[in-house]
Amino acid sequence: MQDIRNIAVIAHVDHGKTTLVDGLLKQAGTFSERDQVEERVMDSNALEKERGITILSKNTAINYKGTKINIIDTPGHADFGGEVERVLKMVDAVLLLVDAQEGVMPQTKFVVKKAVALGLKILLVVNKIDKPAAEPLRIQDEVFDLLAQMDASDEQLDFPVVYAAARNGISKKNLEDPDGDLTALFEMILAHTPKPTGTTDNPLQLQVFTLDYDNYVGKIGISRIFNGTVKKNQSVVLVKSDGEKVNGRVTKLIGFMGLARMEIDEAGAGDIVAIAGFETIDVGDSLCDPNNIMPLDPMHIEEPTMSVVFSVNDSPLAGTEGKHVTSNKLRERLEFEMNTNIAMKLEDIGEGRFKVSGRGELQITILAENMRREGFEFGISRPEVIVKVENGVKCEPFEHLVVDVPDEYSGTVIEILGKRKAEMKSMVPMGIGQTRMEFEIPARALIGLRTLFLTSTKGEGVMNHSFLEYRPFNGEVESRNNGALISMENGVATGYSIFNLQDRGVMFIGPQTKVYEGMIIGEHSRSNDLEVNVTKEKQQSNVRSSGADEAIKLVPPREMNLEKALEWIEDDELVEVTPLNIRIRKRYLDANTRKRMGKK
């Protein structure tokens, strides 16, 4: 039987998980001399490359000294917590990465809590030790305190440590050692990761933890073999989480090595493989030997906390920029997403409208951005939190929020968060002119907070949050203070009109932008909505006077991307998303209908 180790890389956003996996792949000789290898090679999705974040967990495998090490690279963002949770059930140890300057962050706590609860062995990597303000020893103590807080076992508290600078491919056991390659890290993985339990002699037990989709073979379940062996064309029984049993055959068996996937004929206990042949396969399902059906415990997936409504675009410019505009196309694409993304839920609410629920704004905007790039055109409503009723009490999700701000802005930030019903839990000076504050805040108060927070801290504040729990409803939360500037005509915006409207507020559009009645063209400087004509041209007269043709000076418009637009809008507004533009509009375009609905 092959010597195997299974390990997941967990950390807060941007602490260097994917970069570290890059280094391991390169130094294990996965790539030949001729291979052109780019940075963060595991982030295969175009959006992941642009944003520099991991969205989907991905697995790879390397060979080191005759041992196969299966590595799973996980996302660090709170919205993808569901991905991390499932993956941890498939491994025997976690490689916990912590930034040598930033230390333990909210997402670190979230993922460590899951790992401790599952009883996994923890291997600490203090990364980015080449940063000027790095304090590796303080970080080591922080991690120990965190594990002690979470009631970790003595074995988990006795964790091995390696100091690394993943970007430079350096790791060492002691800080005073000379800079070496990643050998110290490889040795730590081999020495401290427990071997998989289970043997090839037992009947087959295999569980699916991630889904993939292929146009030729259909749904693919990426799974770990806990016991027995699985072969291509073998007859097996699929046991669903509700106990339903489906007989079938493994039509394709795929193994991982480096970045390649290759078809294999058989695999044994402890290995991670991909399996095709079952249309109804889902995360948490087990595959068992037909003569000895012993399914594994189904997985608990965290519930979505936020929802938006995707609707067919019905603006006057509908169908002029996108390829897919009908409700059938929209439904098909959303159902396809639900095939592989189990942290999201879809509900058809009629009239070409679909309610999509997920773990947070980022998860939903990434889906919308991907659809937009595929040629879809649609409208999105303002995100809403999902409210539950428990024992007759209305409950809403709360988040644990951690902010790092320069000392001089801490008062402003406390004031902003106080208005949004946030409760401060701790405030610690971090040295180097920074203060770290921790709050507990209703999830709906976070909608629209990021832009305001960045403006108030002159772009220097850092904000991170993760789901805490459901608590009784906390009353109304302050939302946007400014009204909207609404176009009252269809046509094209002119520089002359924009110049004359600049005193009324901030513009979202420039000259020559197509506008329509009911489209929002800017933010009013006061709290009420204002209807304006942005298509008016300068009247020509037949008298030539001095000073009639003075040059107009236009302030550059505020760029509204998808995230900013979704944060900005109120309940009676929509974001119109097309492959070329993102526009903001009123739900009811006609002014009289708006007044009538407002009274209701």
Side-chain angles (χ1 to χ4, degrees):
M1 184 179 150
Q2 195 178 8
D3 193 9
I4 292 175
R5 301 285 191 282
N6 295 318
I7 195 160
V9 187
I10 60 172
H12 184 75
V13 178
D14 215 16
H15 280 196
K17 294 181 294 298
T18 308
T19 310
L20 181 78
V21 175
D22 272 10
L24 291 172
L25 283 167
K26 283 175 190 161
Q27 294 196 16
T30 307
F31 307 121
S32 69
E33 306 265 315
R34 294 188 300 278
D35 286 353
Q36 290 288 316
V37 182
E38 44 192 283
E39 252 188 48
R40 298 198 323 277
V41 66
M42 294 290 282
D43 285 348
S44 50
N45 176 316
L47 272 180
E48 290 182 316
K49 288 211 184 306
E50 275 170 37
R51 294 167 186 239
I53 60 171
T54 301
I55 296 168
L56 306 163
S57 62
K58 297 179 201 64
N59 43 310
T60 180
I62 52 181
N63 263 326
Y64 183 75
K65 293 189 175 173
T67 302
K68 181 179 183 184
I69 306 174
N70 285 313
I71 303 173
I72 304 180
D73 180 22
T74 64
H77 203 283
D79 290 10
F80 310 111
E83 288 271 330
V84 182
E85 211 175 342
R86 307 197 297 269
V87 162
L88 293 184
K89 293 209 170 161
M90 297 300 133
V91 296
D92 305 300
V94 293
L95 212 53
L96 171 63
L97 250 79
V98 185
D99 185 305
Q101 184 178 324
E102 289 183 5
V104 171
M105 298 292 276
Q107 223 22 56
T108 319
K109 293 182 181 174
F110 176 78
V111 289
V112 168
K113 187 168 142 196
K114 304 280 180 208
V116 168
L118 291 166
L120 298 175
K121 177 81 181 159
I122 290 170
L123 320 181
L124 176 64
V125 179
V126 180
N127 194 21
K128 305 193 183 183
I129 52 170
D130 49 344
K131 276 190 169 181
E135 296 178 75
L137 298 173
R138 172 178 69 85
I139 305 304
Q140 207 173 319
D141 294 342
E142 266 187 32
V143 173
F144 184 85
D145 295 343
L146 173 68
L147 289 171
Q149 253 177 333
M150 291 180 173
D151 297 333
S153 66
D154 292 349
E155 194 192 353
Q156 285 172 324
L157 286 170
D158 185 20
F159 52 84
V161 187
V162 159
Y163 305 99
R167 198 175 50 184
N168 307 330
I170 294 168
S171 73
K172 45 189 171 182
K173 269 192 163 168
N174 301 302
L175 283 168
E176 48 280 1
D177 293 354
D179 289 350
D181 54 12
L182 294 176
T183 307
L185 183 55
F186 280 120
E187 294 299 340
M188 174 170 81
I189 294 173
L190 287 192
H192 295 280
T193 307
K195 290 188 177 182
T197 54
T199 67
T200 47
D201 305 335
N202 292 344
L204 175 67
Q205 274 185 314
L206 172 150
Q207 192 167 30
V208 179
F209 65 92
T210 307
L211 295 175
D212 205 343
Y213 194 83
D214 185 295
N215 289 335
Y216 296 104
V217 295
K219 261 192 184 178
I220 296 173
I222 297 173
S223 25
R224 171 166 170 185
I225 307 166
F226 284 92
N227 268 309
T229 52
V230 63
K231 296 179 181 164
K232 193 176 171 181
N233 294 327
Q234 181 179 345
S235 294
V236 289
V237 174
L238 172 72
V239 185
K240 308 285 292 170
S241 49
D242 57 5
E244 183 197 343
K245 297 183 177 68
V246 181
N247 289 320
R249 195 168 59 85
V250 178
T251 54
K252 254 198 167 78
L253 188 61
I254 301 161
F256 298 94
M257 184 47 70
L259 299 178
R261 294 181 170 196
M262 58 256 178
E263 286 200 40
I264 51 176
D265 292 326
E266 75 172 294
D271 211 350
I272 290 178
V273 292
I275 279 184
F278 296 88
E279 223 9 78
T280 57
I281 200 163
D282 236 325
V283 168
D285 291 355
S286 303
L287 288 183
C288 304
D289 183 353
N291 304 323
N292 196 332
I293 301 174
M294 290 167 64
L296 294 147
D297 293 340
M299 292 183 191
H300 159 69
I301 307 290
E302 280 200 0
E303 291 293 304
T305 54
M306 194 170 275
S307 66
V308 300
V309 174
F310 280 71
S311 55
V312 171
N313 185 14
D314 59 357
S315 84
L317 298 177
T320 56
E321 294 169 6
K323 219 169 34 175
H324 310 300
V325 291
T326 61
S327 65
N328 288 348
K329 285 282 184 193
L330 199 56
R331 182 192 291 109
E332 265 173 38
R333 176 62 181 86
L334 292 171
E335 282 173 352
F336 176 77
E337 186 68 25
M338 302 306 138
N339 264 340
T340 54
N341 192 339
I342 59 151
M344 290 182 122
K345 291 199 167 53
L346 173 68
E347 193 187 329
D348 189 340
I349 50 178
E351 297 175 7
R353 290 160 66 229
F354 306 93
K355 188 175 183 179
V356 174
S357 311
R359 294 273 308 129
E361 272 177 275
L362 181 68
Q363 196 183 25
I364 290 164
T365 51
I366 281 182
L367 167 62
E369 184 63 47
N370 278 328
M371 287 171 64
R372 173 186 177 203
R373 290 173 182 208
E374 291 161 23
F376 282 85
E377 208 176 280
F378 50 90
I380 304 188
S381 70
R382 184 175 190 228
E384 290 177 2
V385 300
I386 295 170
V387 177
K388 282 183 180 176
V389 176
E390 291 176 2
N391 307 327
V393 181
K394 188 174 167 190
C395 294
E396 63 171 336
F398 269 69
E399 302 260 337
H400 174 221
L401 172 72
V402 177
V403 296
D404 286 348
V405 293
D407 297 343
E408 65 264 31
Y409 302 126
S410 53
T412 318
V413 170
I414 292 169
E415 185 187 350
I416 290 170
L417 291 170
K419 285 180 182 167
R420 289 178 173 248
K421 299 276 199 310
E423 190 182 329
M424 188 190 280
K425 289 296 174 192
S426 77
M427 183 171 177
V428 186
M430 297 292 289
I432 55 172
Q434 293 267 350
T435 303
R436 174 171 293 179
M437 296 179 278
E438 301 197 15
F439 297 87
E440 289 177 1
I441 183 168
R444 58 202 161 98
L446 291 171
I447 300 171
L449 174 65
R450 192 172 295 275
T451 314
L452 181 65
F453 174 77
L454 285 172
T455 313
S456 313
T457 58
K458 305 275 191 293
E460 289 183 38
V462 178
M463 169 173 128
N464 291 289
H465 54 88
S466 64
F467 175 69
L468 196 60
E469 61 186 356
Y470 269 86
R471 289 187 188 169
F473 198 72
N474 202 2
E476 288 308 310
V477 169
E478 183 188 86
S479 61
R480 189 177 90 209
N481 295 327
N482 298 55
L485 295 174
I486 307 164
S487 168
M488 56 202 289
E489 297 286 341
N490 296 339
V492 174
T494 62
Y496 172 73
S497 298
I498 292 176
F499 175 68
N500 289 328
L501 290 169
Q502 280 179 162
D503 301 342
R504 295 303 185 99
V506 181
M507 288 292 162
F508 296 160
I509 61 166
Q512 299 305 306
T513 306
K514 287 181 185 172
V515 295
Y516 52 80
E517 185 187 355
M519 176 171 153
I520 295 173
I521 56 146
E523 181 178 88
H524 193 194
S525 52
R526 304 210 174 146
S527 59
N528 62 315
D529 288 349
L530 183 68
E531 290 182 23
V532 296
N533 182 359
V534 77
T535 61
K536 199 158 61 176
E537 295 193 10
K538 187 176 180 186
Q539 296 299 321
Q540 298 292 326
S541 75
N542 56 0
V543 179
R544 193 167 180 190
S545 64
S546 64
D549 293 327
E550 284 170 3
I552 55 171
K553 288 195 175 72
L554 295 182
V555 178
R558 185 192 293 174
E559 291 280 332
M560 292 300 261
N561 62 14
L562 194 53
E563 273 99 351
K564 282 186 190 161
L566 269 185
E567 282 189 351
W568 189 84
I569 60 174
E570 287 294 333
D571 293 336
D572 64 336
E573 294 160 357
L574 297 175
V575 178
E576 179 188 342
V577 182
T578 76
L580 303 181
N581 289 298
I582 285 174
R583 304 185 183 94
I584 303 174
R585 50 165 282 194
K586 284 289 181 188
R587 191 180 292 266
Y588 302 105
L589 298 177
D590 178 61
N592 295 327
T593 315
R594 274 204 300 279
K595 284 188 186 119
R596 202 166 62 242
M597 290 301 181
K599 283 176 186 162
K600 277 187 185 175

